[in-house]
Amino acid sequence: MHRRASAALSLAALVALSVSGCAKDSSSPAPSDSAPAASGMRTPVAKPAQAPLSSAALAQRLLNESDLGQGYTRQAKSDNSGRDDVTVIGCPALEKLGGDGAAGEDLDFPNSAKATFSYTRGSDSEVAEELYSDTVDKLGPNTKTVFEAMTGCPLYQIVVGDAPITVATQKLPAPSLGDEAWSQLLTFTSGGHDTVMKQTAVRTGSILIVVSGSPALVDTHLTRAVEKARG
């Protein structure tokens, strides 16, 4: 995977959520009638198939409204593939990876599937899931590179067009799921509003699961996302 495009793993999701939701409080509590939270739960590690899955196969393993519970609506797919006006300032590691990945370009992993859901039952939050598949020797190292770059910069800026977004990052303990896992908390400040987002990535065999959004919603749905992605 090219280093430039690998920045999109974290930045594509965070920009899409922060730009659309900076005026929202996305740290609202998780719904009580949804899937059980991932905290404190350990999923038995089954030996996954090592061969990469196709995009069509990954799409069948994405969470859907019936998995999430009441109050969730799947959002229409946004197309930011033509953007080239995203700049990273104040984080040399991310600048080396390439700020244009933040515009929403797909990763250079050969197969992927994505879905974003809004939750409007008593709150106004979002949760997004991205599935990627490639050989194990590419998935793990490239994901680690992106998360280490982001959490290595506690404060930096993303400029989308002429709109600056200040990003504060905090490395979080990785969940006990899959073969490898990474997690971080991000706070975006734009136009006088703060948005808090959690992002967790889990590699299980040749599949990478990335869940981003309101921290409570990520915790609520992460374990189920990993289980369904395993098939």
Side-chain angles (χ1 to χ4, degrees):
M1 182 175 68
H2 300 307
R3 290 177 62 82
R4 178 185 64 80
S6 66
L9 170 63
S10 292
L11 294 179
L14 71 86
V15 168
L17 291 172
S18 64
V19 170
S20 65
C22 271
K24 305 172 184 177
D25 177 9
S26 60
S27 60
S28 54
S32 59
D33 57 349
S34 295
S39 176
M41 297 181 65
R42 296 180 64 90
T43 301
V45 178
K47 185 176 180 180
Q50 298 299 308
L53 297 181
S54 67
S55 295
L58 290 174
Q60 296 298 315
R61 301 188 183 195
L62 285 169
L63 294 174
N64 54 41
E65 291 90 338
S66 63
D67 297 313
L68 298 175
Q70 296 182 356
Y72 290 88
T73 303
R74 185 163 181 164
Q75 298 183 357
K77 182 179 179 181
S78 61
D79 183 11
N80 293 316
S81 58
R83 293 200 83 121
D84 57 2
D85 59 349
V86 179
T87 304
V88 176
I89 300 174
C91 185
L94 280 179
E95 291 172 30
K96 290 180 181 179
L97 290 175
D100 57 344
E105 291 184 9
D106 286 337
L107 290 166
D108 277 347
F109 294 130
N111 306 309
S112 65
K114 305 177 184 181
T116 301
F117 300 88
S118 60
Y119 177 71
T120 56
R121 190 179 179 186
S123 64
D124 195 0
S125 304
E126 295 179 344
V127 62
E129 181 187 15
E130 301 167 76
L131 298 181
Y132 298 95
S133 189
D134 202 343
T135 57
V136 172
D137 62 340
K138 293 180 180 178
L139 279 180
N142 283 291
T143 305
K144 180 180 179 180
T145 295
V146 174
F147 271 84
E148 287 186 346
M150 294 190 72
T151 56
C153 297
L155 191 68
Y156 59 93
Q157 275 195 333
I158 295 175
V159 181
V160 183
D162 59 357
I165 302 170
T166 299
V167 185
T169 65
Q170 177 186 346
K171 185 176 181 180
L172 298 176
S176 300
L177 296 169
D179 301 307
E180 296 179 277
W182 305 264
S183 190
Q184 61 181 334
L185 190 72
L186 304 107
T187 301
F188 306 98
T189 303
S190 178
H193 299 283
D194 290 342
T195 297
V196 178
M197 188 187 90
K198 184 174 184 177
Q199 184 171 63
T200 301
V202 176
R203 182 188 69 79
T204 177
S206 60
I207 302 173
L208 180 69
I209 304 102
V210 184
V211 182
S212 311
S214 167
L217 298 185
V218 172
D219 289 344
T220 297
H221 300 297
L222 178 64
T223 297
R224 182 169 291 183
V226 173
E227 290 175 342
K228 189 169 182 179
R230 283 177 173 149

